Structure formats: C-alpha cells, structure tokens
Amino acid sequence: ALERMHLAYFVSDRIIHLESIDGAVPGEGDAYLVESERLHGAVFAELSNWIQIVGTSKSGEKNVQPSFHKEWSLFDRLLSVEGKRLNCIDEVQDIGQDGDSRTVELVRYPFGRINPIPATERGWIFLERFLTSVKCAMLDETAAAKAVLSNCMEIQAQIETCTRRITLPAESD
C-alpha cells in the first residue's frame, strides 16, 4: 500500500480530509454470552492480549468473504470460557467443536480493536496530510485551494501551513 499510496494523491483532482469524530458505535463494548458450539466455523486470531473473531471457515478452509452468525460477528472479542479469562489463542482451538457446550463470554467490537491514539497523532493520517501538501506544493495557489476539501478548518490550515513550508525553500532560490 505504501509503495503506491502517493499515486492516489498525486493523480486525484480533489482530496477529501474529514475530521475524525471519536464516539461510541451503538453496541460497541457490550458483553454477551454464547454456548461454545454456536461458535462453530469461527476463525480466531490473537492480537497482543486480544483474541477476536476474524472470519469463518467451512471444512477447514478459510472463506475470503466472512459471513456473520446471528449471535456473534466479525471482530468480536473473546474474553472468557466458563468464567476463565483467555490469555492466548491456544486456549480457544477447540471452541465450537461438536459436543462443546461451554459458555463463552464475548464483547462486541463491530470495527475491531479500538485505536486509542487520537487521529491527529496517528502516523497514517500525518502521511495522508503530508502527501496532500506535497501535491498542493506542485500546483499553483488557486488550483491547490480547489484540490483540498475538508469539513474542518484546522485540517485545512494544517495542510496549507505544511504546503507553505514545502514551497518556501523553492521560492527563496
């Protein structure tokens, strides 16, 4: 992605930067219980201290297009089995097997693990804004003003400031 990301910015006529609004998604973080046999077909992954559902399988093969079960969803986190806190992926390998009737506690995370880093401090967002500034630096002032759309004046100002920093050395030569 990083090898080609800049191309998307440089060939686009307009680049939209939206302000990130941190807010809870309805149901996110809600705990619920299911019988382990209901997790048959779920594929699990371990992310640091977090075990989550990452897809489904049929006959041992992973589906490219994950489907959703009525009780659990993609990205839900597994917390415990029979009240025992889960610590690693090895503890869930037999969940969902035929005849398995243990109680599993899960937590809903419809978009996966929550990133606690504010959007303004994330490297990816910095890179997006920097690439936009480089594009604007290659355009005249009028075209640059039309190339960037944002619902936030602070984001717009940040991109304009960065663009001036890039063009300033070229103008002084």
Side-chain angles (χ1 to χ4, degrees):
L2 286 176
E3 290 178 11
R4 305 214 183 272
M5 182 180 170
H6 67 284
L7 296 174
Y9 288 83
F10 294 157
V11 299
S12 299
D13 293 329
R14 303 264 190 298
I15 303 169
I16 302 170
H17 290 270
L18 300 176
E19 181 178 24
S20 173
I21 299 171
D22 294 326
V25 174
E28 185 174 66
D30 291 352
Y32 65 100
L33 301 173
V34 298
E35 293 301 313
S36 55
E37 62 190 14
R38 305 294 287 168
L39 292 167
H40 180 74
V43 176
F44 309 107
E46 183 174 355
L47 307 162
S48 184
N49 64 343
W50 186 286
I51 299 167
Q52 74 179 31
I53 299 171
V54 294
T56 61
S57 68
K58 291 183 181 176
S59 306
E61 293 183 21
K62 291 183 182 179
N63 280 340
V64 175
Q65 297 293 326
S67 61
F68 299 99
H69 191 276
K70 291 179 182 177
E71 296 176 56
W72 50 267
S73 297
L74 187 65
F75 304 128
D76 286 356
R77 179 183 183 188
L78 283 74
L79 285 183
S80 66
V81 176
E82 292 293 319
K84 182 180 179 279
R85 185 82 170 183
L86 296 170
N87 296 310
C88 70
I89 193 80
D90 297 335
E91 298 172 330
V92 299
Q93 295 306 320
D94 61 342
I95 286 182
Q97 302 301 318
D98 291 335
D100 186 15
S101 61
R102 298 173 289 167
T103 301
V104 180
E105 181 181 13
L106 295 99
V107 179
R108 293 219 186 276
Y109 287 100
F111 298 104
R113 191 173 189 158
I114 298 169
N115 186 346
I117 300 170
T120 56
E121 296 175 23
R122 294 181 191 167
W124 193 261
I125 290 175
F126 172 82
L127 179 60
E128 289 174 344
R129 292 178 187 172
F130 177 75
L131 288 173
T132 301
S133 298
V134 171
K135 177 187 177 80
C136 289
M138 294 186 291
L139 301 171
D140 65 58
E141 216 171 298
T142 305
K146 292 178 182 177
V148 181
L149 303 173
S150 181
N151 65 342
C152 176
M153 295 306 292
E154 289 178 33
I155 293 172
Q156 190 86 29
Q158 181 186 31
I159 292 169
E160 289 170 4
T161 300
C162 185
T163 301
R164 281 193 298 277
R165 287 183 182 155
I166 293 168
T167 57
L168 203 56
E171 291 172 0
S172 63
D173 285 342

